[in-house]
Amino acid sequence: MNAKLDNVTTQYRKFNENQVLTDGQLNEFIDYFEDQDRLSRTLLSGVGIVCGFKSTITSSSLVPDVMEKIAPQKAENALDTIVITQGAGVTTDGDLITLRTGKEKSSDVTIDFDTKNYRYFREYKDKVRYDHFRIGEDQIPLLELATEDELKQMKVKGLDTGSFKDIKTLEKLNEKIIILYLESYSNDETPCEDADCDNTGAEQVSDLKVLLADFQSVSDLMTSGNAKDTLYKIHNSYEELFDRLPNIEAKRVILDPKVETADQLKRKFRNAMDSVSKLSDGFGAIADTFKIDLNFSGLSLFNKLNTLLSASSPRLDDFQYRYDLLKDLIDTYNEIKGLILHLNAECCPSIASFPKHLMLGYAGGSLELGEYAAFRHGFYHSSITTQDDENYERLMLLANRFVQKINGFQSYIGPVKITPSNLYVRLGEKAIPYYYNVDKPLLDKWNFEKTKTDRETYNLSYHTANLSSEDYVQNPLNYNIDNNDFYRIEGHLGLPYETAVQNINDLKMKYGLAFDVSVLLLNDGKKTDDEPEEPRKVSIEELRNKLLSISNDISKETGDPKNALLNLSKLDSDLKLLNKAKFETPSGSSDDVTIVKEDPKKEEIATELLSDFLERKSGLEHLSGVEPGGTFVLIAESKANNQVIADFSLSYLCCSKKDPVFLSLPSGKLCQNEKPVLMTIVPLDGQVKAFVNGTEISAITQTGGQSYFDPALVGAAYLGQTITFTVNDDPVDTQMVVNEVPNVTVTTGTPVNGENPTNPTATVTFTVSGNNLGNLDYNWNFGDGQLVTVTKPAPDANGVVSQSHTYNLVAGQEDTFNPILSVSNGSGCSTQYTIAPIKLKGQSLVQCLSSLEITVQYNESLGPCPGNHRCNSAKFNLMANGVYTIGIVNLNNASETLENGQSRPNGELRGPNRIKTFFLSPTDAQSIAATDLNGEGFISFSLVCADNSCHDGVAWTTLKLGGVVIYDGCPRNNFLTINPCTGEVKP
């Protein structure tokens, strides 16, 4: 069996009209598009198991949740079912595989199910001789699985099922590997026996088999089989590599009061460097897997690391930088380790890896999140769908950087320099330390993103010779450093601490950097027998010899200029003593020796013993620099042995023996009515006091152990004045101004109009009184959705500010309005006043009903009311709400003689037509409105026969409200229910 993608069809023919097609032309057409479909899957999506295909071993007699609890202890003969969930996967030949169930037609299958339960097995012989199941000429032992439904289908089709056995007879089922195999072959072409040969052709069969194999057999296939699964092997090697890599973290250097000598401090650093062996083993395994060249001039990685980390420069005992090198290497190692499990990308997956099968792992194997499943194909993404291919490039860069850092370490001596960097990021995003040779090989491997964009020379470093010539790279402290949260400080190691402090402070001032510098001494220089310390001596002859030596070093063309600079700095320390000393000449001395003894009252740089410091403070960390707002701490052995031997830092300002004080407020201005604000204080338990012109005011409160400034406690006499503070009685720079808030009175006038029947609005006038009214801004919210802003209005003759507003009212409805006034002054302070609710009522129902006119008539010319006969007798009661009689409508027309109260319409003198009109007075209207049982102001009109001779449906009735016709028709009983004020009609 050949893989489809072994030979890819790259062209096909377009067909002409009425062309006779050959088998080659048709197959060429199909092969082209099938190959493109397969290539799209493998090269643009990926290969391997996409999802699903999880297996469990269970007993058909138990529910799954019970089986899950007892399966590890059950006897093997009860394990009679392998359950496999539906899934999806892609082979390296581009076949899309899912579990399938056959249907009646042999070529049809269904995939619409969640799981399949396999209970039977038989030996399997691959008739197509798939190379991936063979070692030499022999096929490894394979078992074919079947479900109960599949056996039934085989019996229906007349196939032999006698060789299948119950799966519970298998031993060590959980040591079997499940394999999905797409058995692909061509059936022989059917001979053409009649005139119609259209249905002939070789049938292409793809039959999915679910197989079991011993794990040892699968392992042998991987190592000595005919076709090697290179894709699985390389990614499996990444998993195995990750599992065997040791976990390594750099130890901290923790100082304690017992550290009193330089050797003891050095031992602290050395004791923190005990991971060389594990680091050598771990990175050695990485180098073996990814073929990293470990070229250390013939030394092994372990020997190179051990030599490098334990050595010292003859000119400078730089043990702290060798410790820093180890930290850098461990950081790089862990970054590499973190990438190993994220290399699931393949640009061009090998077709020969698993062209027609997928391994699902051990039967019943756990697939919990984060667990690795052996002998299971993962999903190996195309580069277009993931960034894991970039992870491989990143890993290779990091691994080569690891080697380059070892080879590029140097014991360097140079001037003090500060470089902006970052603290809480990957090593590659930090400035390159000065103990590396910053050459092109290191620059190319320091920062992946910069190298990727051809900007490797834009890294920052102490050494700038090979960096970009851009000034912001050469002199970064002259430019924006908002994105930097750390300052690397380098070049001070080995200098007298007086010189180092002066150089660092000069750079601080030059670049305006926010940190402090402090000096800690390991001991006070006294002898061990507690004898007084000998005075420091300076000999004229000694100074002369030092100057000559330095002069010779400088004048020579060869030599170490850095060493000359170091000697100059030490000499400078001795010369400075002459500016603060008293001179004594020893008695009996025959040579010109001057003894110089320092005057402690004129000490220029404050120092403190480490042991004393640790009694008060903690948190010293060696970082080779300091955070903005922190303290850079230099360590020297004593005043006599004053060279800087190490540095540490604190994340806060420190550290005179009297604690520093600090106070911060979120704002320098507040309004009197604002809530208390939290005060940030150093020290946290410091006592804060507030003053105005030297007078203490009570504006500080304590809640939950924290201090708050409460502007409401500031008296009226101090509003608008500058408030200063002290912490522990020491003044701080923070200041505060509390501004007055407006204080006015708002009154509400009597509404004008209101329930006037001719004016459905009401006007209310609000009056504001108080001081400085003309300097205030007024924001009115009248409670009806209307907002008005008035800026600094002039008060009237009465010294008040008035504001009128007209409210629109709904007839017959009472509304409540809740007006609010916000008053603000020029200081940005405002006061909000909630005004008493205002209740206003619209026009009443009586006013609406006062113009109601009702006309009832018999008129042959008005529509179908009379019916098919002439009506001479029509007497009705005109009712309202069924209980109120408006009047009697008498439309009798005996012998064309009208009865009392009737008239003829349109001035007629004779005939059948007659009419009667009613007008409702306000009193009658009020009575009618009161009869609405629902209290909604609706009236239901009706005409009710008043005698036996009445015919309903013959009286044409017209209602007018305010001169507008609201009903015109022939009513029967209740004919209109209406709210005469709103015009709303109920059905």
Side-chain angles (χ1 to χ4, degrees), residues 575-611:
L575 292 174
K576 285 182 178 179
L577 294 176
L578 301 177
N579 297 323
K580 57 176 183 177
K582 61 181 181 179
F583 297 88
E584 296 179 0
T585 301
S587 60
S589 176
S590 60
D591 53 3
D592 295 327
V593 175
T594 302
I595 300 175
V596 179
K597 184 176 181 181
E598 292 182 72
D599 183 356
K601 296 180 181 180
K602 297 182 179 180
E603 185 179 23
E604 292 183 357
I605 296 178
T607 61
E608 184 178 2
L609 287 178
L610 173 66
S611 56

Side-chain angles (χ1 to χ4, degrees), residues 4 185-187 201-206:
K4 294 284 187 180
Y185 57 90
S186 296
N187 280 333
E203 181 184 27
Q204 305 301 306
V205 178
S206 292

Side-chain angles (χ1 to χ4, degrees), residues 87-130:
V90 179
T91 69
T92 53
D93 196 32
D95 295 297
L96 180 60
I97 293 182
T98 60
L99 295 180
R100 56 184 73 170
T101 298
K103 304 186 74 172
E104 293 181 1
K105 187 178 178 180
S106 60
S107 61
D108 291 343
V109 297
T110 180
I111 61 173
D112 187 16
F113 54 84
D114 294 329
T115 59
K116 292 193 72 173
N117 301 325
Y118 295 91
R119 300 188 60 192
Y120 304 97
F121 75 97
R122 68 178 176 186
E123 291 186 5
Y124 175 74
K125 291 296 181 181
D126 179 25
K127 57 186 177 182
V128 298
R129 297 181 62 82
Y130 184 47

